Amino acid sequence: MKYIFTLLFCTTVFHFRALAQNDSNAVKAIIAKLGVFQDNDQVDSIWFYENKSMEISKKINYEPGIAHALTSFGVIYRIRGEYPKALENFLKALAIYEKRNDQRAILVQYSGLAAVYYFQADFKKSENYYLKAIELSRKLGIKEVESNNLCNLAGLYNDREQYREAEK
């Protein structure tokens, strides 16, 4: 408990210092601190700090910070079952990352979109994004992400009783 209080206190102090700085390094630092909350599934804390990160990023027109926040919002909306909002955020983030040609971040958006479409039972769109994610993860040589998306795609085919496709 003492550790959590200390962490929250330090993060809060850090956050207000970052707001005062109003620069991209402040946004990057807030994003780095969010990993602690993600590891502990503290969605409310992630939401709070991503909103602050978004606020600073918009103020200074820092697109990577905006896109990162949009991605986190997409994940949170997906977890909450608010799929239209999840799609909206993932698609906005994807547009920013495509403009910046950030291939790894594009890969994250493809995987997120595939999952949301799967939960909406829009299997064709889900399949399309899983295939894009698999192709891009192979291009980038990220085996773990490729494997995860292959498993998810196989699960989709299994759910649709497309066993021949799942075997590929």
Side-chain angles (χ1 to χ4, degrees):
M1 184 67 171
K2 184 178 178 183
Y3 170 75
I4 292 172
F5 175 75
T6 303
L7 176 65
L8 288 175
F9 177 76
C10 291
T11 305
T12 303
V13 169
F14 177 79
H15 161 70
F16 287 112
R17 193 183 95 221
L19 279 177
Q21 291 175 348
N22 257 350
D23 66 19
S24 61
N25 289 329
V27 174
K28 290 176 190 174
I30 291 171
I31 291 169
K33 291 289 183 187
L34 286 167
V36 174
F37 296 120
Q38 290 171 338
D39 291 344
N40 293 311
D41 292 327
Q42 296 176 346
V43 175
D44 291 338
S45 296
I46 294 169
W47 186 263
F48 175 80
Y49 284 101
E50 283 293 7
N51 269 311
K52 296 302 179 185
S53 175
M54 177 68 91
E55 190 178 296
I56 296 169
S57 296
K58 283 183 174 180
K59 188 180 286 186
I60 62 173
N61 197 29
Y62 182 59
E63 286 189 334
I66 294 169
H68 186 277
L70 289 168
T71 300
S72 291
F73 296 152
V75 171
I76 292 169
Y77 282 129
R78 188 193 73 219
I79 290 168
R80 292 179 177 169
E82 298 179 54
Y83 302 128
K85 289 180 181 179
L87 288 174
E88 177 184 340
N89 281 273
F90 281 130
L91 289 168
K92 285 179 181 177
L94 177 60
I96 293 170
Y97 287 130
E98 285 177 337
K99 184 173 111 181
R100 300 180 62 79
N101 196 29
D102 186 335
Q103 297 295 296
R104 288 178 178 266
I106 290 169
L107 177 56
V108 171
Q109 305 318 302
Y110 287 166
S111 297
L113 287 162
V116 173
Y117 282 124
Y118 175 84
F119 290 126
Q120 287 188 310
D122 190 338
F123 299 121
K124 194 65 185 163
K125 285 183 181 175
S126 180
E127 176 186 33
N128 181 43
Y129 278 106
Y130 279 132
L131 291 170
K132 285 181 175 188
I134 292 163
E135 180 182 341
L136 186 53
S137 60
R138 285 178 178 159
K139 176 182 166 191
L140 298 174
I142 307 173
K143 298 290 185 191
E144 183 178 352
V145 175
E146 176 187 355
S147 174
N148 288 339
N149 282 292
L150 282 167
C151 287
N152 290 336
L153 182 61
L156 181 148
Y157 289 144
N158 184 59
D159 291 347
R160 293 171 62 192
E161 298 182 1
Q162 293 179 301
Y163 304 117
R164 295 252 185 236
E165 290 295 320
E167 290 175 354
K168 293 180 184 178

